[in-house]
């Protein structure tokens, strides 16, 4: 079992003080209640025994003379004058313990009363002691003179005493049921009094504990607020604590640490900004949810995504006519205009494969990928317009889009890790991009993309082939051309 822990010193002092006070109060209440309960019960048993003995001597002669009417009259008067008495009846041992007089009429002439458990009656009958006292409960509602005397399940104390002749022979038994309501009320009053005293002690203890906790925790709390501000990014903040004790020394060390932390954080921020240029932030969230400091080889996440491949037509022939530096400059200019279109549509570039671009879209639908394809064509038109003014040849591309399940993760070994996306959906998207040359289309999409469009009415699509087989796939797929509106 785990117990809650509290970081605040003030809370700890208050909680510990409260628990200590509650423990003491509960112990006092428990001991007080048990003591009073035992006292009340002992007095009640003594009074009941005395009363039953007197009743035994009083009714002994009547029982011997079989004066049943006088016995019943006595029992009725007894119950009217004593509200704590639930029932009284007398059984005749000479008649196999038949009930010959009772305050409850329907029990008359019965042998086993059904208002208490059978084991109570057996204990009374089999007991060799002159009197028996035991606690039990009522099995059914008990009425006397039309009024409810006790409810079913109510706890009572039964006192039984033998009626004997002067020779010692047992001729009958007096059984009396006494309600424990009065004892319960008395115990409740005692508990309430103890709780009242305990509450006053608890309040007084709380006040003292609060004063002590406040004096100890206030400077620490101010230091905690300073730490929170620094953690939130305010590295220029410094703790304003002037104590001359250990807490003051801690505050000075804290401020020195803040200065060093500010310098280190500035360097780390520049490193992270550079790192995000190599690995997209969305990719990092998928493969390193605990932070890039915990990234490791083999970490992977399975997701359903839309994959976009874009490739330049005739790039090999084009690059042969350029110097390496010209090729490098051309690629940077081309990839910049295409990357802005992908980023604007909500996607992110997974990798550059020479002149090819592989982009991913992790939204619920595929609208972002199609919107990116349209923006990429518009960006390419502007790029070609500038090239035409410089007497450079026009650039043509092919774009393939597919949606499916992929695995995003890290590959490599301990000294060299790379991020990658693998899966049949990636291969199929690449194959679809290759089909753009065969069908003379700029943008081709698969049927899975069409089915996952949130707003298909925003795009103009044309069925190109209802069943084309691509390399590596046994099943034919339908492909559609995305036309510019």
């Amino acid at each position: 079992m785990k117990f809650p822990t509290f970081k605040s010193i003030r809370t700890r002092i208050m909680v510990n003080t409260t628990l200590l006070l509650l423990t003491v109060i509960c112990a006092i209440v428990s001991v007080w209640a048990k003591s009073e309960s035992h006292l009340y019960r002992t007095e009640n048993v003594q009074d009941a025994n005395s009363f039953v003995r007197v009743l035994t001597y009083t009714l002994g002669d009547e029982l011997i003379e079989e004066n049943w009417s006088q016995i019943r009259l006595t029992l009725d008067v007894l119950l009217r004058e004593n509200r704590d008495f639930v029932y009284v009846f007398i059984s005749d041992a000479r008649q196999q313990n038949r009930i010959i007089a009772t305050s409850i009429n329907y029990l008359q002439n019965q042998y086993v009363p059904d208002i208490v458990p059978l084991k109570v009656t057996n204990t009374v009958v089999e007991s060799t002691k002159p009197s028996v006292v035991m606690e039990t409960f009522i099995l059914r509602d008990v009425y006397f003179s039309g009024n409810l005397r006790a409810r079913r399940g109510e706890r009572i104390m039964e006192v039984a005493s033998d009626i004997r002749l002067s020779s010692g022979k047992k001729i009958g038994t007096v059984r009396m049921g006494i309600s424990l309501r009065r004892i319960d009320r008395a115990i409740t009053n005692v508990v309430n009094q103890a709780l009242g005293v305990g509450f006053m002690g608890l309040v007084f203890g709380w006040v003292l504990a609060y004063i002590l906790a406040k004096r100890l925790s206030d400077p620490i709390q101010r230091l905690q607020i300073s730490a929170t501000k620094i953690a939130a990014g305010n590295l220029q903040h410094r703790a304003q604590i002037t104590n001359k004790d250990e807490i003051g020394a801690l505050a000075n060390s804290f401020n020195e640490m803040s200065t060093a932390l500010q310098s280190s954080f500035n360097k780390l921020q520049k490193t992270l900004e550079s790192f995000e240029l190599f690995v997209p932030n969305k990719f990092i969230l998928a493969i390193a949810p605990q932070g890039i400091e915990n990234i490791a080889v083999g970490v992977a996440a399975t997701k359903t995504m839309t994959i976009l491949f874009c490739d330049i037509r005739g790039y090999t022939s084009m690059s042969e006519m350029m110097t390496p530096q010209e090729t490098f400059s051309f690629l940077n200019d081309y990839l910049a205009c295409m990357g802005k279109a992908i980023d604007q549509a909500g996607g992110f570039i997974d990798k550059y494969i020479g002149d090819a671009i592989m982009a991913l879209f992790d939204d619920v639908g595929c609208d972002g990928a199609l919107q990116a394809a349209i923006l990429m064509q518009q960006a390419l038109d502007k790029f070609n317009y500038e090239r035409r003014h410089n007497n450079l040849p026009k650039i043509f591309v092919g774009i393939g889009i597919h949606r499916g399940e992929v695995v995003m993760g890290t590959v490599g070994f301990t000294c060299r890790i790379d991020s990658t996306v693998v899966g049949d959906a990636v291969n199929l998207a690449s194959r679809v991009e290759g089909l753009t040359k065969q069908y003379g289309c700029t943008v081709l999409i698969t049927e899975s993309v069409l089915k996952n469009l949130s707003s298909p009415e925003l795009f103009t699509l044309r069925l190109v082939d209802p069943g084309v087989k691509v390399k590596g796939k046994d099943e034919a797929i339908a492909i559609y051309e995305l036309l510019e509106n």
Side-chain angles (χ1 to χ4, degrees), residues 353-417:
I353 312 170
D355 64 303
I357 299 173
M358 176 181 171
L360 301 173
F361 297 80
D362 60 351
D363 47 357
V364 176
C366 295
D367 302 58
L370 268 64
Q371 187 65 36
I374 295 173
L375 294 175
M376 290 168 72
Q377 293 180 78
Q378 295 173 355
L380 186 62
D381 290 340
K382 294 180 181 179
F383 184 73
N384 282 327
Y385 178 79
E386 295 176 359
R387 287 179 62 83
R388 187 164 58 249
H389 279 70
N390 295 322
N391 296 319
L392 296 174
K394 188 176 182 179
I395 302 299
F396 297 93
V397 299
I399 299 175
I401 305 175
H402 177 62
R403 183 175 180 82
E405 189 175 85
V406 299
V407 177
M408 307 173 64
T410 55
V411 294
F413 69 112
T414 54
C415 297
R416 178 66 173 90
I417 300 176

Side-chain angles (χ1 to χ4, degrees), residues 395-457:
I395 302 299
F396 297 93
V397 299
I399 299 175
I401 305 175
H402 177 62
R403 183 175 180 82
E405 189 175 85
V406 299
V407 177
M408 307 173 64
T410 55
V411 294
F413 69 112
T414 54
C415 297
R416 178 66 173 90
I417 300 176
D418 196 6
S419 61
T420 188
V421 178
V422 298
D424 183 64
V426 177
N427 298 330
L428 185 54
S430 178
R431 302 299 184 202
V432 172
E433 183 275 322
L435 291 176
T436 58
K437 302 176 184 178
Q438 177 181 336
Y439 289 94
C441 302
T442 301
V443 183
L444 288 178
I445 69 171
T446 62
E447 191 168 6
S448 65
V449 176
L450 178 63
K451 291 181 178 179
N452 285 279
L453 287 174
S454 301
S455 303
E457 68 278 1

Side-chain angles (χ1 to χ4, degrees), residues 424 427-428 431 468-477:
D424 183 64
N427 298 330
L428 185 54
R431 302 299 184 202
V468 61
K469 286 190 175 182
V470 298
K471 185 178 179 181
K473 295 288 291 185
D474 294 332
E475 298 180 1
I477 62 171

Side-chain angles (χ1 to χ4, degrees), residues 154-171:
E154 183 176 329
R155 295 188 311 114
I156 65 169
M157 179 174 61
E158 177 167 311
V159 182
S161 179
D162 295 341
I163 302 176
R164 298 178 180 273
L165 298 174
S166 57
S167 60
K169 180 181 179 182
K170 178 179 177 180
I171 61 173

